[in-house]
Amino acid sequence: MAGMARFPFLRGAIAVVLCVLISPLPYALAQAGQRAGEVGALVPTATRNAGNVKVKDSLAWNDFLRTQATGRLRANLVDGSLLSMGSNSEMRVVQHDGASQQTQLELNYGRLRSRVVQLTKPGAKFEVKTPHAVIGVIGTDFYVFVDADRTLVIVFTGKVSIVPLRKDPNQPDSQATPVPPGIDVDGGQMAEVRSGHVEGPSPTPLGVQQDSIESTTVQEQERGRGMTNRSKIAIITGIVLGVAIAIALSTTRSEECSTSTSTSSSSSCSSPFTSTSTGP
């Protein structure tokens, strides 16, 4: 200790290292870099952590995904689950551990369709948290819409549990807390959460179900963007071959017509698209 007293900068460095080791910072940094999946399809414009994003970009824990008025995004999670964000939406991938099947998402606003693989691991969990509710699933296909006043949940297949959240009216800046026991919503049903209360479940009208699916479908841009180089080469090759064959046939026919015209006064080389009939 006497020797260390001679080097005050060394004591300061050791103190900093110890503070870092006992703080949650290393854990938070490890979480931030842990892979959760990748962007599977995209309709511009959308962002990841306020920066540009493109198809095949990797997604990590705590990533913020946001779509603009014309944007949509599909996230392919490590465990095979699919998250389809509609336009004007914001989501945070808080956690996704494919091995232990532990997933937490936060949908701050907008539209999200989740197609979740079957949860089979002990203690597995898949939760979507909104400002109004916590939605838990076992393995299902469901849609969530969030605006300033409510959270709407539509279940296509499977079952979800909904626990409403409510803030203390006397402390508007406090965190919203769960209001148990919540309800279960089955496939073909919908429910709405407002001000700590759940309305429903009730049957989902067909038109509402179709609108929710269409508003989160990411297909139009996906086809072109998801096309492999091999597919592109095959299509181009087919077009080139088709043009070459058409030119060869046209050249051959022209040569035959020239020969026929030079040896006969009546040529039979009229166009196949021109009628030679004089009758009605």
Side-chain angles (χ1 to χ4, degrees), residues 61-280:
W61 291 20
N62 289 313
D63 273 358
F64 271 96
L65 301 174
R66 180 179 297 168
T67 58
Q68 308 302 328
T70 59
R72 298 187 184 189
L73 184 147
R74 191 188 73 206
N76 299 348
L77 298 184
V78 170
D79 71 348
S81 298
L82 302 177
L83 308 175
S84 300
M85 296 176 63
S87 59
N88 290 322
S89 302
E90 182 183 85
M91 176 182 71
R92 182 164 77 102
V93 184
V94 180
Q95 174 189 8
H96 176 69
D97 188 333
S100 61
Q101 293 190 314
Q102 296 290 319
T103 303
Q104 289 180 277
L105 309 172
E106 289 181 357
L107 182 63
N108 297 323
Y109 58 83
R111 299 167 173 82
L112 174 68
R113 181 181 179 183
S114 302
R115 283 165 281 183
V116 184
V117 300
Q118 189 70 26
L119 303 184
T120 58
K121 303 291 185 181
K125 179 177 66 175
F126 191 107
E127 287 185 349
V128 178
K129 183 179 179 181
T130 77
H132 317 106
V134 176
I135 302 114
V137 307
I138 296 176
T140 187
D141 183 355
F142 68 105
Y143 164 93
V144 181
F145 170 77
V146 178
D147 61 16
D149 301 319
R150 61 169 181 154
T151 290
L152 173 67
V153 180
I154 298 175
V155 182
F156 305 121
T157 60
K159 176 183 291 188
V160 306
S161 65
I162 302 176
V163 178
L165 299 175
R166 182 168 56 195
K167 288 187 175 182
D168 186 341
N170 299 320
Q171 298 181 355
D173 296 332
S174 63
Q175 292 289 330
T177 57
V179 183
I183 64 167
D184 291 338
V185 183
D186 294 320
Q189 295 182 326
M190 58 186 288
E192 190 173 86
V193 184
R194 293 177 182 266
S195 303
H197 300 283
V198 183
E199 300 176 7
S202 59
T204 307
L206 181 59
V208 174
Q209 188 177 76
Q210 290 175 339
D211 288 345
S212 64
I213 293 174
E214 291 175 0
S215 68
T216 51
T217 297
V218 194
Q219 275 188 334
E220 296 302 321
Q221 296 281 337
E222 178 184 354
R223 292 173 184 172
R225 291 175 177 270
M227 190 178 296
T228 63
N229 289 333
R230 182 177 297 179
S231 298
K232 294 177 182 177
I233 292 172
I235 292 173
I236 293 172
T237 301
I239 293 173
V240 171
L241 287 175
V243 171
I245 292 171
I247 293 173
L249 291 175
S250 177
T251 302
T252 301
R253 181 172 180 80
S254 297
E255 292 175 352
E256 290 176 350
C257 287
S258 297
T259 303
S260 175
T261 302
S262 63
T263 59
S264 174
S265 59
S266 60
S267 174
S268 61
C269 294
S270 59
S271 169
F273 301 104
T274 303
S275 175
T276 57
S277 173
T278 59

Side-chain angles (χ1 to χ4, degrees), residues 32-80:
Q34 188 159 342
R35 187 173 184 273
E38 69 176 21
V39 177
L42 178 68
V43 176
T45 53
T47 60
R48 170 179 173 262
N49 300 328
N52 293 331
V53 66
K54 59 183 183 298
V55 176
K56 299 298 182 182
D57 276 0
S58 182
L59 299 176
W61 291 20
N62 289 313
D63 273 358
F64 271 96
L65 301 174
R66 180 179 297 168
T67 58
Q68 308 302 328
T70 59
R72 298 187 184 189
L73 184 147
R74 191 188 73 206
N76 299 348
L77 298 184
V78 170
D79 71 348

